[in-house]
Amino acid sequence: MSSAISPSGGPRSVTIRRPDDWHIHLRDGAMLRRVLPFTAAQFARGIVMPNLVPPVTTVAAVAAYRRRILDALPAGMDFQPMMTCYLTDATAPDEIARGFESRTWIAAKLYPAGATTNAHHGVTDIAALAPVLERMEGIGMPLLIHGEATDPEVDIFDREERFMDQVLVPLLARHQGLKVVVEHVTTAETADLVRAHASRVAATITPHHLMINRTSLFQGGLRPHLYCLPVAKRERHRLALRRAATGGEACFFLGTDTAPHPRAAKQAACGCAGIFLGPVALQCYAQVFAEENALDRLEAFASENGARFHGLALNEGTVTLVERPERVIDSLPVGEDEVVVFRGGEELPWSIEGVRQ
Ligand code: DOR
Ligand code: ZN
């Protein structure tokens, strides 16, 4: 299918094959029930991150989490969660293969220990993970990486670059057949590294890294709801990410990293990382692609490149976006607290006109 863009006259619109979100945090319990319908309304499938407390590390735990997600899905929604397992120092190659071969999960997530929210059970010595990575390479199972150095001495704005130089480049050399997704890429240099290995390495790009830079975090005061990890970088990186997302290269695809946290956990003396994009993700991407005169490339980025990388069928059905301004809800109540929405209270220029399943 090629995406249809409306002729001049009325508002611009674009109809694309139903998209997938290759990076989501759905959480569990009340939060899961609250946020899942928003992702399910926009995406046919989503790769679910395993950084629960405790993390989901085994076939049994991931299968149980998947059932909880399906139980939380409102009747009539056909969203398919695609699961991942969380790698630790104790991960066994056989368990990894068992989960992949039984289709319990489609990939493994590597958090360097301490890199981000709920990453304290992550991997402390990535070189020691070699037997797991060799097995993954052998069975064609992708490794999804949170690519940031964890040494607290490293400047936070350099952590991605340091990880790429010191960990990812040697890892790609050691495991020459391993499929890797660099999650939420934030720098021009990382995008180039992905391009250089494009036959087996890909990257997801979030809406926020296409829309904000590091100055946005301090615009008029401290903006805790724009704080995520990896943290947004300089403007030149944002512009490079826009070129990567909208340039039509198959190695870049959609992954929102929607990561809800209660307002109280964000607006705290030590606020946590994560931006909630559930209700606005596609509208933000459409805005960026429209601004870059690349609406004809939105479908490849949103609905094709990721599925092809993972060897999955493309979705049936369509989503139509229209250039009609719509005000974004500020926040969602969750229990006694609420979750603030990215761009909440603002008017976004694009809205979703309809979804055909
Ligand atoms: O900002 C982030 N939030 N980055 C991550 O890597 C994790 C995520 C979360 O789980 O809240
Ligand atoms: Zn994430």
Side-chain angles (χ1 to χ4, degrees):
M1 184 189 306
S2 66
S3 49
I5 299 172
S6 63
S8 55
R12 279 189 296 178
S13 72
V14 59
T15 296
I16 59 171
R17 185 187 286 280
R18 274 183 86 200
D20 302 306
D21 187 341
W22 300 95
H23 187 136
I24 53 179
H25 297 269
L26 291 177
R27 316 302 194 205
D28 215 339
M31 183 70 93
L32 165 65
R33 286 191 293 278
R34 200 73 186 86
V35 302
L36 174 62
F38 291 95
T39 290
Q42 301 209 345
F43 298 101
R45 298 174 291 197
I47 284 199
V48 182
M49 291 297 132
N51 61 333
L52 301 184
V53 185
V56 279
T57 56
T58 62
V59 172
V62 172
Y65 184 32
R66 181 169 181 277
R67 273 194 303 277
R68 295 198 296 281
I69 295 169
L70 292 173
D71 287 347
L73 192 63
M77 298 193 107
D78 68 346
F79 178 77
Q80 283 179 45
M82 298 178 287
M83 307 307 289
T84 57
C85 70
Y86 183 116
L87 297 178
T88 71
D89 290 340
T91 301
D94 284 350
E95 183 75 355
I96 285 293
R98 208 159 69 83
F100 187 66
E101 282 155 4
S102 63
R103 297 181 173 270
T104 307
W105 53 61
I106 72 162
K109 176 75 187 232
L110 169 59
Y111 288 106
T116 186
T117 308
N118 302 337
H120 40 282
H121 295 282
V123 176
T124 59
D125 180 4
I126 292 171
L129 208 59
V132 170
L133 300 183
E134 273 162 29
R135 182 67 74 86
M136 290 174 60
E137 192 174 341
I139 60 180
M141 175 176 161
L143 177 69
L144 316 182
I145 299 186
H146 182 110
E148 286 194 283
T150 50
D151 178 352
E153 300 288 304
V154 177
D155 187 290
I156 192 164
F157 295 103
D158 297 336
R159 286 184 189 173
E160 181 172 304
E161 184 184 351
R162 184 69 68 90
F163 180 92
M164 297 306 152
D165 293 347
Q166 294 192 346
V167 181
L168 187 65
V169 169
L171 184 149
L172 292 175
R174 284 197 304 274
H175 302 279
Q176 301 214 350
L178 184 65
K179 290 174 76 170
V180 170
V181 179
V182 178
E183 300 280 31
H184 39 53
V185 53
T186 67
T187 76
E189 289 72 23
T190 306
D192 285 341
L193 179 65
V194 170
R195 289 185 175 101
H197 295 84
S199 59
R200 63 170 173 127
V201 178
T204 54
I205 307 182
T206 74
H208 41 289
H209 290 116
L210 296 168
M211 295 182 119
I212 64 170
N213 62 27
R214 67 188 204 174
T215 299
S216 314
L217 272 91
F218 307 101
Q219 202 69 260
L222 185 60
R223 303 279 181 176
H225 300 288
L226 299 183
Y227 173 55
C228 66
L229 288 172
V231 69
K233 307 295 191 297
R234 287 180 183 277
E235 178 64 359
R236 80 170 177 90
H237 296 293
R238 186 183 75 95
L239 297 177
L241 296 177
R242 284 187 161 228
R243 286 192 292 277
T246 63
E249 296 162 275
C251 58
F252 298 110
F253 45 83
L254 186 158
T256 63
D257 199 13
T258 181
H261 291 277
R263 183 192 281 275
K266 296 283 295 169
Q267 295 175 211
C270 187
C272 55
I275 298 180
F276 175 58
L277 294 120
V280 295
L282 267 186
Q283 299 91 315
C284 289
Y285 284 118
Q287 178 182 344
V288 169
F289 276 71
E291 287 167 358
E292 300 294 328
N293 289 317
L295 281 174
D296 57 331
R297 295 183 176 153
L298 179 61
E299 182 173 57
F301 177 79
S303 318
E304 295 176 354
N305 296 347
R308 291 202 175 110
F309 181 86
H310 285 280
L312 298 170
L314 303 185
N315 297 315
E316 300 298 327
T318 57
V319 173
T320 299
L321 290 131
V322 60
E323 194 169 25
R324 185 179 301 127
E326 202 170 73
R327 189 178 176 279
V328 177
I329 52 165
D330 293 89
S331 58
L332 306 177
V334 181
E336 304 281 275
D337 207 326
E338 57 181 2
V339 175
V340 172
V341 180
F342 182 63
R343 297 289 198 217
E346 294 179 34
E347 204 167 74
L348 287 180
W350 285 75
S351 49
I352 295 180
E353 180 150 270
V355 177
R356 201 169 53 76
Q357 291 187 358

